[in-house]
Amino acid sequence: MLENDIPQQIESCKIVPVVTLERAEDALPLVHALVAGGLPIAEITLRTEAALDGIRATAAMPAALVGAGSVMNEVQCRDAIAAGAKFIVSPGLDEGVVTYCLSVGMPCFPGVSTATELQRAYNLGLRKVKFFPAEAAGGVAMLTAIAAPFPKMKFMPTGGITLENAGAYLQLPLVFAVGGSWMVKPDLFRDGDFGRVTEIAHLAVTRLS
Ligand code: 3PG
């Protein structure tokens, strides 16, 4: 990675692959496949038993930035950080997660989809959040409208993002990255071939840069 500043690194990557691991042993080849495709970043969601081991297996990779997603509470947040996660993503706004992350200097991106949640995130001191679920919540039009009173806020739309619609978000100055699972679906590598992950990641980087 080029920069030490993790939010800046995420912004440089532009696309955050959202990974749900079925097997912890897939984590290392999967993240290597993303790096080979030009996407040196992964958000491993704490939705499966394999997640923390997957973070542990990849967090020390010098070429990639690995964070934790679907972090619901402070206990999970501490576990993810102990496993080596470099950033924390949540579907919603939990004040325990946010205040803990702020207290230890850990970048965190809670999900917001209403003005009330966004206002709370702002007042907690955050300036970068996830917009979730982006497409179902109203897409670019909703994001633009909800962001208007918060000119200092930047967003990572996630949920329903595809190769086809990602560009419309990324061209907005208020968007610092998008998240999506389309290049890391378990079906793509269940047979042990991670080449398709590299291909789809490469296509995303090429098309969206
Ligand atoms: C999720 O909920 O898994 C993430 O927000 C990614 O959503 P997606 O599968 O629609 O990309």
Side-chain angles (χ1 to χ4, degrees):
M1 304 297 297
L2 298 176
E3 306 94 356
N4 290 324
D5 181 79
I6 285 172
Q8 189 56 48
Q9 287 178 22
I10 296 171
E11 187 160 354
S12 298
C13 292
K14 288 190 187 170
I15 307 160
V16 178
V18 179
V19 175
T20 298
L21 280 176
E22 294 175 347
R23 303 177 301 196
E25 59 266 33
D26 287 338
L28 202 54
L30 180 61
V31 176
H32 275 296
L34 288 167
V35 171
L39 263 188
I41 185 165
E43 173 194 327
I44 297 181
T45 60
L46 303 191
R47 298 183 194 176
T48 62
E49 295 291 319
L52 286 176
D53 282 341
I55 292 170
R56 268 187 283 273
T58 51
M61 283 176 63
L65 183 66
V66 175
S70 303
V71 176
M72 302 295 179
N73 53 51
E74 189 183 327
V75 172
Q76 283 192 331
C77 185
R78 287 173 184 263
D79 287 347
I81 294 169
K86 303 294 193 304
F87 61 92
I88 298 292
V89 183
S90 300
L93 178 72
D94 179 83
E95 293 197 11
V97 170
V98 173
T99 52
Y100 180 70
C101 285
L102 289 173
S103 75
V104 297
M106 174 63 52
C108 77
F109 308 100
V112 303
S113 63
T114 69
T116 301
E117 292 158 354
L118 186 45
Q119 189 170 328
R120 189 176 305 162
Y122 188 88
N123 287 336
L124 285 169
L126 297 177
R127 295 296 179 265
K128 288 185 171 166
V129 293
K130 166 174 158 173
F131 174 52
F132 177 79
E135 281 292 290
V140 165
M142 174 64 171
L143 175 58
T144 307
I146 202 175
F150 303 92
K152 292 183 179 160
M153 272 291 196
K154 302 279 185 200
F155 297 84
M156 177 167 64
T158 306
I161 305 299
T162 64
L163 183 61
E164 288 69 37
N165 65 21
Y169 290 98
L170 286 169
Q171 72 179 12
L172 301 174
L174 54 82
V175 168
F176 68 93
V178 295
S181 64
W182 80 89
M183 74 296 287
V184 287
K185 294 282 188 202
D187 281 353
L188 292 170
F189 55 86
R190 196 167 278 122
D191 62 359
D193 177 3
F194 292 82
R196 285 182 292 275
V197 171
T198 296
E199 280 170 26
I200 298 172
H202 181 67
L203 181 62
V205 170
T206 309
R207 192 83 74 79
L208 298 169
S209 59

